């Protein structure tokens, strides 16, 4: 079990996570996440309330290579208002209309997304690693055929904003140097596209 609470002028997080590493005494893990978050950016704020379930399976008979599947359902809200309202009540004085062509992607709505990821882990210790590497490749797909919708799109008949395909990758590695000193580094990359004429949702 994990309980998390974080409060700051720019971020608010309340999260619960339950993980069963060997669900029903099998090699399949199971995880449940429930959360509510608020993040303030330079010219908008994003709220999200929802949850996710996930599972996976070791490939080649080892946990060092694992394929995972997840489903996420969350309601996302975007507050523009000419500037994002920070948690302490301050407002960033920025004119969001000065940033075209993202005028049409400020709608909030319900996101229903499937995720698939492949991880390779050769770290000597997964809590305090001193050598090895961890790599992850992932894809997340949210679409109206999965149930994504927006109240605004229902009202005016337009396409829901939360239609996107996100590709992501991460690599972190650890190299022992001397006297117990470990060099570690992390690289992240990603690409997100949408078949929606309004483009990728701003909140994503």
């Amino acid at each position: 079990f994990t309980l998390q609470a974080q409060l700051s002028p720019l971020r608010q997080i309340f999260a619960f996570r339950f993980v069963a590493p060997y669900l029903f005494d099998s090699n399949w893990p199971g995880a449940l996440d429930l959360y509510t978050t608020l993040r303030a950016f330079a010219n908008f704020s994003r709220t999200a309330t929802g949850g996710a379930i996930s599972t996976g399976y070791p490939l080649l008979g080892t946990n060092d290579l694992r394929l995972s599947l997840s489903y996420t359902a969350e309601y996302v809200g975007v507050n523009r208002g000419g500037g994002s309202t920070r948690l302490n009540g301050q407002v960033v004085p920025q004119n969001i209309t000065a940033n075209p062509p993202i005028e049409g992607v400020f709608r909030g709505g319900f996101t229903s997304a499937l995720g698939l990821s492949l991880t390779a882990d050769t770290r000597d210790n997964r809590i305090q690693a001193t050598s090895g590497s961890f790599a992850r490749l992932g894809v997340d797909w949210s679409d109206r055929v999965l149930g994504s919708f927006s109240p605004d799109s229902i009202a005016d008949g337009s396409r829901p904003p939360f239609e996107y395909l996100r590709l992501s990758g991460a690599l972190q590695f650890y190299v022992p140097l001397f006297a117990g000193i470990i060099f570690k580094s992390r690289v992240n990359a990603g690409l997100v596209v949408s078949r929606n004429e309004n483009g990728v949702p701003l909140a994503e």
Side-chain angles (χ1 to χ4, degrees):
F1 290 94
T2 301
L3 291 174
Q4 178 185 6
Q6 181 176 338
L7 293 172
S8 77
L10 297 178
R11 180 179 300 178
Q12 174 180 296
I13 300 173
F14 296 100
F16 164 83
R17 180 173 175 83
F18 170 74
V19 178
Y22 300 97
L23 194 62
F24 305 118
D25 293 327
S26 71
N27 284 329
W28 292 84
L32 170 67
D33 293 271
L34 300 172
Y35 55 84
T36 179
T37 65
L38 188 155
R39 293 189 63 187
F41 296 91
N43 45 26
F44 75 99
S45 61
R46 179 187 191 273
T47 60
T49 300
I53 56 174
S54 58
T55 187
Y57 198 79
L59 302 178
L60 306 177
T62 172
N63 281 321
D64 293 342
L65 186 64
R66 179 177 290 272
L67 186 67
S68 300
L69 177 67
S70 66
Y71 171 74
T72 301
E74 64 178 7
Y75 193 87
V76 176
V78 179
N79 174 31
R80 48 181 300 197
S84 64
T85 302
R86 299 172 184 264
L87 298 184
N88 59 8
Q90 297 177 346
V91 175
V92 182
Q94 292 194 16
N95 183 7
I96 193 62
T97 60
N99 296 294
I102 57 176
E103 176 67 23
V105 292
F106 288 95
R107 293 177 173 180
F110 179 75
T111 297
S112 177
L114 289 176
L116 184 68
S117 65
L118 180 67
T119 58
D121 193 347
T122 63
R123 293 173 295 178
D124 61 343
N125 187 300
R126 297 185 180 183
I127 298 178
Q128 292 182 327
T130 60
S131 65
S133 63
F134 176 84
R136 179 185 183 277
L137 293 175
V139 57
D140 297 289
W141 176 48
S142 174
D143 199 277
R144 59 178 171 175
V145 301
L146 298 176
S148 296
F149 71 92
S150 167
D152 292 331
S153 63
I154 293 176
D156 59 23
S158 62
R159 296 177 65 93
F162 290 94
E163 296 183 310
Y164 60 86
L165 181 71
R166 178 191 293 116
L167 306 175
S168 60
L171 171 65
Q172 61 189 59
F173 57 91
Y174 304 80
V175 179
L177 298 179
F178 56 87
I181 297 177
I182 309 298
F183 173 81
K184 63 179 180 179
S185 184
R186 181 181 178 93
V187 179
N188 295 283
L191 172 68
V192 59
V193 296
S194 175
R195 66 188 182 109
N196 193 309
E197 62 271 14
N198 288 326
V200 178
L202 179 66
E204 302 305 326

